[in-house]
Amino acid sequence: MRIITGIYKGRHFDIPHSFKARPTTDFAKENLFNVLQGYIDLEEVCALDLFSGTGSITLELLSRGCKDVVSVEKDRDHSNFIRQCVEKLNIAAEGQTHRLIRGDAFKYLKSCKQQFDFIFADPPYAIEGIETIPGLALPLLKPEGVLVVEHGKKNDFSALPQFFDHRQYGSVNFSMFRNEVETEE
């Protein structure tokens, strides 16, 4: 697994072979972040990485200058791996913070009181309740915040409120939502 761009560009981390989760492919990740540049400036924002898995997105967010990243991962071994990777980056030297929550992402969404500029959710594609993620995550977005849900081809989120874009890269699908600020006329 490698970091594509930013202050930690090119850093590699070897994922243990015993892991069930695999990182979002470099091709899909690079294309997603290229698209996101048109919607949100990730520097100095607060981000939430749900179902963090290997931490690939967390590391990319930190490399791209996010000031605060919260990672939520249920699996103990995956959580420990994410913690070790972040420690190797020495993010405190860049004035960044990272909080790792070892727990269920759905429970976290239901109890979280913090708001974020960017939320990324990469649940297992066959997880029960995947269709509820946008509804649970959107209230946690700051005005003009962006939510990205990674999913398989069987899911279609385009009819949901605040949906604005869908991208597909091979078997990886990203549905994007924006917390639009309503203007008074």
Side-chain angles (χ1 to χ4, degrees):
M1 172 177 78
R2 75 179 173 100
I3 299 175
I4 295 171
T5 196
I7 55 181
Y8 308 117
K9 178 181 178 177
R11 295 286 301 267
H12 286 266
F13 299 92
D14 294 324
I15 300 169
H17 295 292
S18 62
F19 277 21
K20 296 173 227 139
R22 292 286 164 237
T24 301
T25 65
D26 283 355
F27 175 73
K29 184 169 61 170
E30 185 169 10
N31 281 291
L32 171 66
F33 278 98
N34 286 340
V35 169
L36 286 174
Q37 285 178 358
Y39 299 120
I40 187 167
D41 181 1
L42 292 172
E43 284 191 35
E44 299 298 312
V45 303
C46 295
L48 173 62
D49 181 11
L50 296 165
F51 309 93
S52 296
T54 62
S56 174
I57 299 297
T58 290
L59 298 174
E60 196 68 40
L61 290 167
L62 289 166
S63 188
R64 290 170 186 260
C66 286
K67 70 176 178 181
D68 182 33
V69 178
V70 175
S71 305
V72 181
E73 174 52 47
K74 189 175 186 177
D75 184 275
R76 182 194 63 201
D77 293 335
H78 293 203
S79 294
N80 288 337
F81 179 75
I82 294 167
R83 183 181 343 284
Q84 292 168 5
C85 291
V86 171
E87 285 172 0
K88 289 177 184 176
L89 295 180
N90 190 22
I91 63 169
E94 298 295 329
Q96 297 171 295
T97 59
H98 174 253
R99 288 179 292 131
L100 179 61
I101 309 294
R102 189 172 151 239
D104 181 88
F106 289 106
K107 289 180 182 175
Y108 180 80
L109 285 171
K110 291 174 184 174
S111 65
C112 180
K113 303 296 182 221
Q114 183 177 352
Q115 288 203 305
F116 301 90
D117 301 287
F118 178 71
I119 300 174
F120 183 84
D122 180 10
Y125 291 177
I127 196 168
E128 187 176 322
I130 191 172
E131 70 283 351
T132 66
I133 292 172
L136 292 170
L138 282 166
L140 302 181
L141 278 181
K142 291 180 182 177
E144 299 300 319
V146 174
L147 163 67
V148 174
V149 179
E150 182 176 332
H151 57 88
K153 65 182 178 182
K154 293 181 180 179
N155 300 100
D156 180 3
F157 294 100
S158 62
L160 294 178
Q162 297 170 303
F163 171 88
F164 72 91
D165 200 358
H166 172 264
R167 300 294 171 115
Q168 181 177 356
Y169 305 103
S171 62
V172 178
N173 289 264
F174 297 110
S175 289
M176 296 177 234
F177 302 82
R178 179 168 221 137
N179 189 5
E180 297 288 347
V181 175
E182 295 181 24
T183 56
E184 293 183 28
E185 293 181 26

